Amino acid sequence: MRLDKYLKVSRLIKRRTVANEACDAGRVMVNGRVAKASLEVKAGDVIEIGFGNKTVKVEVLDIRETTKKDEAKEMFRYL
């Protein structure tokens, strides 16, 4: 699954366009490297997102095309 779509489906970022812009600005890192929106995300990857002065670090546990709001938290684990 594409990184921008994963960020939206897992609800780490609310909209896919915002996820795309964050990737273009270099605020999203996967496994320690700056990532493009088109990067394929796999289970076990570590995603780091910079929100202003706060950084969120998560590990990908599951990949799903669609998910309910309460099940979205099961797709990743905070580190």
Side-chain angles (χ1 to χ4, degrees):
M1 179 184 287
R2 286 174 54 105
L3 176 60
D4 57 346
K5 186 170 182 183
Y6 179 81
L7 292 173
K8 182 213 176 276
V9 171
S10 66
R11 292 174 169 78
L12 285 166
I13 295 180
K14 293 221 185 304
R15 284 182 225 91
R16 190 165 175 180
T17 54
V18 176
N20 219 318
E21 290 166 6
C23 292
D24 291 344
R27 294 195 310 262
V28 180
M29 296 174 72
V30 176
N31 298 328
R33 293 197 182 116
V34 176
K36 292 184 178 179
S38 61
L39 181 85
E40 287 295 314
V41 178
K42 307 174 288 303
D45 285 349
V46 175
I47 301 174
E48 216 172 314
I49 310 164
F51 294 106
N53 59 357
K54 187 177 87 170
T55 303
V56 175
K57 195 172 185 179
V58 297
E59 179 185 357
V60 177
L61 299 177
D62 193 11
I63 306 278
R64 298 183 198 156
E65 288 298 315
T66 59
T67 184
K68 294 186 173 93
K69 189 176 182 180
D70 33 327
E71 294 172 359
K73 294 180 186 77
E74 299 167 11
M75 292 179 67
F76 61 89
R77 175 182 58 154
Y78 287 105
L79 298 175

